[in-house]
Amino acid sequence: MSKVALVTGASRGIGRAIALRLASDGFAVGVNYASSSAKAEEVVAQIVASGGRAVAIKANVGDVNEVDDMFTTISEELGPVTVLVNNAGITDDGLVLRMSVDQWDRVITTNLRSVYLCTKAALRGMIRAKGGRIISVSSVSGVSGNPGQANYAASKAGIIGFTKSMAKEVGSRGITVNAVAPGFIATDMTDALGDEVIDAAAHQISLGRLGSPEEVASVVGYLASDEASYITGQTIVVDGGLAL
C-alpha cells in the first residue's frame, strides 16, 4: 500500500508537527490550509528539502465541495490517501449566554463537520484498498469540558463519539480509527496568552510544563504506523496529567 497522508490544518502548530513527522516516517503529505499559504508552503519546502514529497492544498474543510476537490487533487498529485489526520480546528470562546449562534456554528463546522466530511471522502479509497488509518485531533476539553468553551468542548467531544462509531463501522475493512486529545500545547496561540497565563496553566499540569507539538505528533505517528495495527476506537490523551 502506498503511503500518502493528508493532514488538515497543517500550516502551523500541531498540524505542522504532524505533517513533518509523517514525512520523516516516509509518507507523502498533503498539507491542507485555510488561509496561511506562505506557512503551508514553508512546510512543503521543508519536507521536499529532506527528500520527501508534499503538496500544499487550500480548502475549507467544512465545505463539502472543497473537501471533494482537495481529495481529487491529492490523489492526482501524490496518490490515494492512506492516512487521514483530522487536525483543523478553531476556538471562538464565550459563555453560552453571550455566545452567538454564529460562534457556535463556526466552531462546530470547522472542528466537527470537517471530520465527518474528510473521513467520508477518505473512506472511499480506503475501503477499495482494504486498509487505512483515520486519526482525529480532539482535546482534553472534549473529555472534561471547559467553562467558556461549550462550542469547542462539544465539537471535540463529538470527535470522540464519532471516532468510536467509525471504528465499529469500518473495522472489518481493515481501517483503524482513533483520536488524540492534547492538553495545553505550546503553539503560536498559547504564546499570545503571555507568560503569566502560561505559568498559571503549567502549575495545573502534573509534569509542570506545557507540551510540545512534536509530542502530540509522535503519538499520531505511532497510530499511523504498522505497530498500531490492532488499536482502534481509542482516544489517547496527551496532556502531561492536566486532566487528572
Side-chain angles (χ1 to χ4, degrees):
M1 185 183 295
S2 61
K3 296 180 68 172
V4 178
L6 171 61
V7 184
T8 67
S11 63
R12 52 190 169 184
I14 292 173
R16 176 182 182 277
I18 291 170
L20 295 176
R21 169 59 189 257
L22 293 177
S24 71
D25 290 341
F27 286 89
V29 183
V31 178
N32 163 257
Y33 68 98
S35 59
S36 305
S37 59
K39 293 287 187 182
E41 292 295 349
E42 286 177 10
V43 177
V44 170
Q46 188 170 340
I47 291 172
V48 172
S50 299
R53 298 169 60 219
V55 60
I57 309 171
K58 182 177 182 178
N60 172 3
V61 289
D63 182 282
V64 63
N65 293 319
E66 292 193 30
V67 167
D68 287 343
D69 289 345
M70 174 173 64
F71 274 84
T72 297
T73 298
I74 192 172
S75 182
E76 291 173 348
E77 299 201 22
L78 299 177
V81 172
T82 57
V83 171
L84 167 65
V85 182
N86 291 305
N87 168 75
I90 62 170
T91 58
D92 195 348
D93 298 347
L95 298 175
V96 166
L97 286 176
R98 299 174 183 171
M99 184 180 292
S100 69
V101 173
D102 285 343
Q103 278 179 285
W104 176 271
D105 288 346
R106 187 162 51 249
V107 171
I108 295 297
T109 295
T110 301
N111 296 8
L112 184 56
R113 175 183 165 96
S114 65
V115 174
Y116 154 70
L117 292 177
C118 291
T119 297
K120 186 174 182 178
L123 282 176
R124 298 175 188 132
M126 290 181 181
I127 288 173
R128 284 194 297 270
K130 298 180 180 179
R133 299 276 193 273
I134 297 169
I135 304 157
S136 300
V137 178
S138 179
S139 168
V140 292
S141 293
V143 176
S144 56
N146 205 27
Q149 287 193 317
N151 50 1
Y152 182 77
S155 70
K156 294 301 186 177
I159 287 173
I160 293 172
F162 181 83
T163 293
K164 293 178 182 294
S165 294
M166 290 311 305
K168 292 182 177 182
E169 283 191 24
V170 301
S172 64
R173 307 300 184 98
I175 301 165
T176 67
V177 189
N178 292 289
V180 176
F184 215 140
I185 306 300
T187 63
D188 293 344
M189 290 175 63
T190 55
D191 287 345
L193 296 175
D195 291 341
E196 186 174 337
V197 174
I198 292 173
D199 288 344
H203 283 304
Q204 300 177 42
I205 299 170
S206 296
L207 294 182
R209 64 174 178 83
L210 274 61
S212 72
E214 289 74 21
E215 287 174 311
V216 179
S218 67
V219 177
V220 174
Y222 170 68
L223 291 172
S225 73
D226 291 340
E227 294 178 333
S229 58
Y230 203 57
I231 298 174
T232 196
Q234 302 304 306
T235 300
I236 300 177
V237 177
V238 187
D239 71 345
L242 174 64
L244 292 175

